[in-house]
Amino acid sequence: MVADDVYRITEQIDGVSRVKARLKHRKPGEFREVPMPAIVRESLLMYEAKHGADSDGYLLRTQRSPFWAHTTLQYQWDAVRKRAGIIRKLNPYSLRHYFASNCLSKGIPITDVAEWMGPKNIGMTFRIYRHLMPASIGRAAKALNEGL
């Protein structure tokens, strides 16, 4: 957490070797900063106060590893879904779509959303989420009318 509403992502866990790695599509040392809702910040701080972090700052760890791999996240997600009685087929990746869909439908620029999500280029984000962006042609025509 680098601000009250900003989280910095500096690395990821490689899905095959399960070791820390640089972010995909980023040079060594580069990072992404993403918006962080207040409830997420509060939850992370409460979790840290209760369970602590390791010397590297990781909060979520297992008995065999200092951090969670995607398989651990999927296992925990499935267990929580089951306990909550959620039968709809959702996965952790669904949260990315929720994030992008909400941002774009509220008028957040796609360039910002693409940067936060981290694909190599904006084209992928544009292809997947273009249909969610508010129509701009009508707003452009209105701006031109006002200018004329």
Side-chain angles (χ1 to χ4, degrees), residues 34-50:
V34 296
M36 179 176 52
I39 192 166
V40 171
R41 178 182 172 76
E42 292 163 14
S43 296
L44 289 171
L45 291 173
M46 285 186 344
Y47 187 90
E48 181 185 25
K50 184 175 180 179

Side-chain angles (χ1 to χ4, degrees), residues 18-73:
R18 295 187 181 191
V19 297
K20 293 186 282 187
R22 68 176 173 84
L23 295 175
K24 283 192 278 185
H25 315 302
R26 298 288 193 278
K27 295 176 185 167
E30 290 185 335
F31 55 85
R32 290 188 330 228
E33 290 185 341
V34 296
M36 179 176 52
I39 192 166
V40 171
R41 178 182 172 76
E42 292 163 14
S43 296
L44 289 171
L45 291 173
M46 285 186 344
Y47 187 90
E48 181 185 25
K50 184 175 180 179
H51 302 285
D54 70 8
S55 60
D56 291 323
Y58 288 101
L59 295 176
L60 305 175
R61 39 199 194 274
T62 69
Q63 293 175 354
R64 295 183 301 167
S65 175
F67 42 77
W68 280 17
H70 71 280
T71 51
T72 307
L73 177 62

Side-chain angles (χ1 to χ4, degrees), residues 119-135:
K120 189 172 185 177
N121 62 54
I122 191 174
M124 179 182 293
T125 306
F126 187 80
R127 282 191 304 279
I128 295 170
Y129 298 105
R130 171 66 178 107
H131 68 284
L132 297 172
M133 296 169 49

